[in-house]
Amino acid sequence: MSQSSVPGCLAVALLALSAAPAYSAPPTAQNSAAASARAAPQSPLSAVEYEQRKNRIVQFFEQQRAAYRVVATTRTKSGQIIDWIWPQSQVADGAVAAPPDAGDSLPPKGQAYQASSLAAKAPGAPNRTAQTEVQLDASMCGPKGTVPVVRFDVDAYLRQVKNLPLDPRQIVSKAPPAPSPASNNRYYVVWHRFADVYGTSGYINIWDTAGPVYGETSIAQTAVIRGVPMQAIEAGKIEHVAFAPASQPVFFTYFRTNDAASGDWVGGYNALVRGWVQVSPTVAPGMSLVGWSSVAGGPQYDLDLEVRLFNGNWWVKAAGQWAGYYPHCVGGGAAPPCPSGTLFSAAGIRDKADRLDWYGEIYDSSAPASTSTDMGSGAYANAQFGHAAYFRNLTYFWSADNYWWWDSGSLSVTDAACYSGLGPYFHTDPTWRNWFYYGGPGREGAGCL
């Protein structure tokens, strides 16, 4: 991969070398108060058991980092730690695939947009687009030609969580973004599309929600799905202590080859397991979006997102960059033959998907009992633009090279008294072809029991 192929990162002086210890961000009164408000009572561990579990967690992430052969480490202004690796080291044959060209995403000429119904008025086009800190400040970059992997912040996690899991892998398994609206421990507002498809794109309105309360998750995302057991690629915004200990919003990706099973080349988040191949030097799963949070009655920020099958690989684009991809072959190969088999199966999403979802989600292990974790902005959908969160300009790829806007269907809502949806709406405005509002406060809402 050529560094010049993705602008925004230059060779700079490093803030730290690869052996640098994990950064401990200084606490603030506001963050401390927020963390206290979110924290639920935790079962105490004995001092001996706590140290044993702590050491296992530290060793687990040190071993994971060593496997990536980190060449340098920098720190963002928000306190995130980024390890920089050679992109070729992620794949067995050392060959990193090339992303789709920008021109490949043009709709067919001569077609007019035919929506099933038109909204009376499009809300307007927000001109504020979410970006990462590294896109804006080259001083946070690593050496020329390297790509970033956001490090799991063990120090910050240990400061906040006292009832440590027995198995370090349980840290992220407690935040599953499974797209299953019928399940009994999640709340959803979702727009489905069922058809043979090859990708999707759209915009997610970004909010830093209040919370989530300890152990729960607030998500806004898309998913491409096919197969039994389910195979899927998911991407969007997530808030959970495992990804940002202050429960701030971050960009995430997730893949599954065997429903909820996790592990290297099986399934999991970001770069916490093998499977994701990082390509962009400025946009990576796990990077913070907190600097781009919308304000009630004020500026609105959107994260552009695209998931697309291209030359056998499932690519993910965010913040204007092709961040990386899930490869055709186990081990990272972009094309057959695949000595260890393909990452996804022919009955799954290897060659296409047959379902697309765009949705807000709250994961709550105590559901169907209500939770206080906010979805979207925390406002109900009927608050609409500037107050409720939304998705807009959602498309589907009906062939490998062509997309169109969703123009039919309805929303599915798990419990409208806790979290509601409004729409979808349609229009000919090129920046608001379609959209829907979603969200809510959970337990604090009238009628949410």
Side-chain angles (χ1 to χ4, degrees):
M1 183 195 74
S2 169
Q3 179 76 12
S4 62
S5 64
V6 184
C9 236
L10 303 173
V12 295
L14 302 181
L15 299 182
L17 297 178
S18 60
Y23 169 71
S24 299
T28 65
Q30 181 179 5
N31 289 342
S32 299
S36 298
R38 285 190 293 267
Q42 301 182 45
S43 302
L45 297 172
S46 69
V48 172
E49 178 65 16
Y50 177 86
E51 286 300 315
Q52 290 175 343
R53 295 189 181 192
K54 173 184 174 181
N55 291 337
R56 280 196 292 269
I57 290 171
V58 171
Q59 291 172 7
F60 173 80
F61 286 105
E62 285 180 348
Q63 290 171 356
Q64 180 192 62
R65 184 166 170 263
Y68 273 111
R69 290 178 282 174
V70 176
V71 297
T73 297
T74 61
R75 186 178 65 211
T76 71
K77 291 179 180 178
S78 72
Q80 285 195 308
I81 308 158
I82 299 180
D83 292 320
W84 297 85
I85 65 173
W86 300 114
Q88 297 83 359
S89 68
Q90 302 172 93
V91 295
D93 60 5
V96 178
D101 294 327
D104 289 338
S105 298
L106 296 176
K109 292 181 180 179
Q111 290 195 16
Y113 181 62
Q114 299 290 335
S116 58
S117 63
L118 295 180
K121 182 181 179 181
N127 58 3
R128 299 172 175 88
T129 303
Q131 293 181 290
T132 69
E133 294 175 280
V134 182
Q135 284 178 297
L136 297 175
D137 188 347
S139 70
M140 301 177 191
C141 293
K144 184 177 181 179
T146 61
V147 295
V149 175
V150 177
R151 189 192 301 183
F152 182 83
D153 194 336
V154 177
D155 266 7
Y157 178 80
L158 293 174
R159 283 201 306 270
Q160 184 166 338
V161 179
K162 303 305 177 186
N163 187 23
L164 304 179
L166 181 64
D167 186 338
R169 291 172 296 185
Q170 294 176 335
I171 290 174
V172 294
S173 69
K174 294 181 182 298
S180 306
S183 71
N184 63 3
N185 59 359
R186 297 172 178 85
Y187 292 92
Y188 286 87
V189 177
V190 59
W191 192 7
H192 299 292
R193 184 176 186 90
F194 296 92
D196 285 349
V197 291
Y198 303 85
T200 186
S201 66
Y203 292 83
I204 297 175
N205 185 212
I206 299 297
W207 292 80
D208 184 4
T209 63
V213 298
Y214 177 77
E216 298 182 6
T217 313
S218 183
I219 298 173
Q221 70 165 80
T222 188
V224 297
I225 304 164
R226 187 170 181 253
V228 178
M230 179 188 293
Q231 295 193 349
I233 292 170
E234 307 169 41
K237 180 210 83 166
I238 191 169
E239 297 180 51
H240 185 273
V241 64
F243 301 99
S247 295
Q248 296 171 343
V250 301
F251 162 57
F252 84 94
T253 63
Y254 184 88
F255 81 107
R256 60 180 79 228
T257 64
N258 185 17
D259 202 14
S262 63
D264 289 344
W265 306 107
V266 174
Y269 285 96
N270 302 346
L272 294 178
V273 297
R274 298 291 180 175
W276 172 258
V277 179
Q278 178 66 30
V279 170
S280 169
T282 57
V283 179
M287 284 187 171
S288 172
L289 297 173
V290 72
W292 306 99
S293 298
S294 300
V295 177
Q300 300 298 298
Y301 292 96
D302 292 356
L303 176 70
D304 63 287
L305 194 65
E306 183 171 338
V307 178
R308 182 181 173 193
L309 183 62
F310 178 75
N311 287 346
N313 307 305
W314 279 99
W315 285 85
V316 179
K317 185 178 185 179
Q321 298 290 333
W322 291 106
Y325 63 95
Y326 290 102
H328 184 81
C329 300
V330 172
C338 301
S340 300
T342 58
L343 182 61
F344 302 107
S345 70
I349 62 170
R350 188 191 70 184
D351 305 311
K352 62 182 178 181
D354 63 9
R355 170 181 160 187
L356 299 179
D357 289 356
W358 285 86
Y359 57 96
E361 174 191 352
I362 298 298
Y363 169 73
D364 173 18
S365 59
S366 65
S370 60
T371 171
S372 292
T373 294
D374 287 354
M375 180 190 289
S377 67
Y380 283 116
N382 61 7
Q384 299 197 35
F385 185 79
H387 299 277
Y390 58 82
F391 295 92
R392 69 176 176 93
N393 259 29
L394 309 184
T395 75
Y396 63 97
F397 280 83
W398 52 269
S399 75
D401 300 318
N402 296 290
Y403 71 76
W404 206 243
W405 291 271
W406 292 21
D407 56 6
S408 62
S410 59
L411 301 183
S412 175
V413 180
T414 307
D415 189 338
C418 302
Y419 307 101
S420 65
L422 192 62
Y425 297 107
F426 308 97
H427 207 274
T428 55
D429 184 320
T431 57
W432 289 89
R433 293 285 193 177
N434 54 40
W435 69 96
F436 71 92
Y437 299 104
Y438 73 99
R443 181 181 301 149
E444 290 74 22
C448 182
L449 304 177

